[in-house]
Amino acid sequence: MNVVFVDPAFPSTQRHFVRALAEVGASVYGVGDRPEEWLDDELRSWMVHYHQVPDVTDVGAMTDAVRWIQDRVWVDRLEATIESHTLAAAQVRENCTIPGTSVRTAWLCRDKPSMKEVLRAAGVPTAASTAASSAAEVWSFARETGYPLVLKPRTGAGALDTTRVDGDGELEAALGRFGAQQVDSIAVEEFVEGHEGFYDTLSVDGVPALDFVSHYFPNVLEAMRTRWISPQFVATNRIDAVADYQELRDLGRRVNEALGIGTSATHMEWFFGPKGLRFSEIGCRPPGVGAWDLYSAANDLDVYRQWADSIVHGQVWGRPSRQYSAGIVALRPDRDGTISGYSGVEEIQARHGQWVLDAHLPPPGTPTQPETAGYMANAYVRMRHPDFDTLRGMLDDVGRTVHVHAG
């Protein structure tokens, strides 16, 4: 099988998809915006060809590149695993008659109001929402739905630029910020109270062949706005043992069917609270922030290789062991500036060293990143343990004990 893979060099986890495709027998044709000489020898060795384009989201340039490859070999698949690349990749598939995620599905998985409109019509429980292209439309929705509300870019990923508003003053300020960014349209949603997590799958022909559940502590919006919090997410190994997760699995299948998701990785956010289980949003791509690395370490499984098997062979053979829960705790500097050092690292190593998967502790002198930059922006520790609750306690201990000092 000949597979075109979009942007093999950045971010760093992209190389694992290329490696896995090569390992399961695919001939990989990379298309990216970095010069080939910037790619290391190992990454180049997994590809039979690399094609540079000015911008991987430029549909015209990508179509030309893929057609150039098609003039030389039959292209079986074109795959993109980054949220901002998925719609352009689907448009190129359509232009070049390559099977895979459709433009309709890619659009619905990018445009949050359209996504939720389709899912509500299919009976999937989700928050009230609208697409607003004027302040008047936002105010009208606020009067009809009430506060709190959440405002976010229509096609954004993660919590970046997502804002909660609890009253008229906050709404006016938020609209001013979006207006200053010259945003044409935003998604406005009812705020859903409850615990937040995500449900990730490798789906084959719309049916999850592998699935994983992770929990956020605290919820993302709070975690990405509060410096003193050391937020974490934890992948549970109880998904097969706790009956309540079946409701989440059923929800995932219904979402796949309604949106037309076929053979693809998926990343679905959900809430569970006073109104029960509620769908939040889904991406037709793998999760970010190293989640697949945690799933692999927790389950004695190379998830990247399972994904490659689903693309190349139309099935997966691996099965998660569920031996461990695994999680990450983000460690924020105490102020903006540059990192000057750490404290508490030796204590954590003494108490929990055998359960530490890895730690990222940028050297002194490294510029700090704001908390909105995410879980892996500054320092972090990743751990695993056979018991979910024990792991949660260890991650809490890391967050209380290890301090990132900046000056």
Side-chain angles (χ1 to χ4, degrees), residues 195-196 215-219 223 229-234 388 392:
H195 172 68
E196 185 179 7
H215 297 265
Y216 285 116
F217 303 100
N219 288 355
I229 293 175
S230 295
Q232 54 188 264
F233 70 80
V234 186
F388 178 85
R392 284 256 6 250

Side-chain angles (χ1 to χ4, degrees), residues 97-346:
T97 321
I98 299 170
T101 301
S102 69
V103 172
R104 174 188 179 271
T105 295
W107 167 252
L108 290 176
C109 288
R110 287 283 285 154
D111 187 77
K112 295 173 177 62
S114 300
M115 173 199 304
K116 292 186 176 179
E117 183 179 347
V118 167
L119 292 176
R120 277 194 294 269
V124 174
T126 186
S129 65
T130 189
S133 55
S134 69
E137 291 174 341
V138 178
W139 285 109
S140 176
F141 183 82
R143 294 291 176 258
E144 180 180 340
T145 306
Y147 295 106
L149 297 174
V150 175
L151 281 61
K152 61 178 73 174
R154 288 187 68 167
T155 59
L160 188 63
D161 290 329
T162 298
T163 302
R164 171 178 167 166
V165 296
D166 290 278
D168 288 356
E170 292 182 6
L171 179 56
E172 186 172 1
L175 290 173
R177 288 193 294 273
F178 280 109
Q181 297 172 20
Q182 299 183 325
V183 175
D184 293 330
S185 180
I186 60 173
V188 188
E189 300 178 2
E190 168 196 15
F191 177 81
V192 177
E193 180 185 355
H195 172 68
E196 185 179 7
F198 48 99
Y199 176 64
D200 293 337
T201 80
L202 285 179
S203 289
V204 178
D205 295 331
V207 178
L210 294 178
D211 61 357
F212 308 92
V213 174
S214 292
H215 297 265
Y216 285 116
F217 303 100
N219 288 355
V220 174
L221 198 57
E222 182 182 2
M224 294 298 101
R225 298 294 182 271
T226 312
R227 179 191 292 274
W228 68 264
I229 293 175
S230 295
Q232 54 188 264
F233 70 80
V234 186
T236 182
N237 59 346
R238 296 174 176 171
I239 179 172
D240 297 327
V242 176
D244 288 349
Y245 286 119
Q246 187 58 47
E247 183 181 0
L248 185 57
R249 286 169 149 165
D250 293 341
L251 181 69
R253 285 176 179 255
R254 293 168 63 193
V255 170
N256 276 9
E257 181 178 358
L259 298 180
I261 296 173
T263 297
S264 176
T266 71
H267 176 60
M268 188 182 85
E269 306 270 349
W270 52 268
F271 288 92
F272 186 84
K275 296 182 180 180
L277 181 64
R278 289 288 184 272
F279 170 87
S280 177
E281 58 188 61
I282 193 169
C284 196
R285 45 85 180 175
V289 290
W292 273 15
D293 299 330
L294 290 177
Y295 300 157
S296 296
N299 290 284
D300 306 300
L301 192 69
D302 181 350
V303 180
Y304 298 95
R305 182 157 181 152
Q306 305 309 308
W307 168 83
D309 277 333
S310 74
I311 299 301
V312 175
H313 301 296
Q315 60 182 310
V316 300
W317 288 277
R319 290 292 176 264
S321 68
R322 312 295 190 197
Q323 183 174 0
Y324 299 98
S325 291
I328 180 173
V329 56
L331 304 170
R332 273 78 175 270
D334 53 7
R335 69 195 72 190
D336 294 326
T338 58
I339 293 174
S340 59
Y342 301 87
S343 59
V345 176
E346 294 80 8

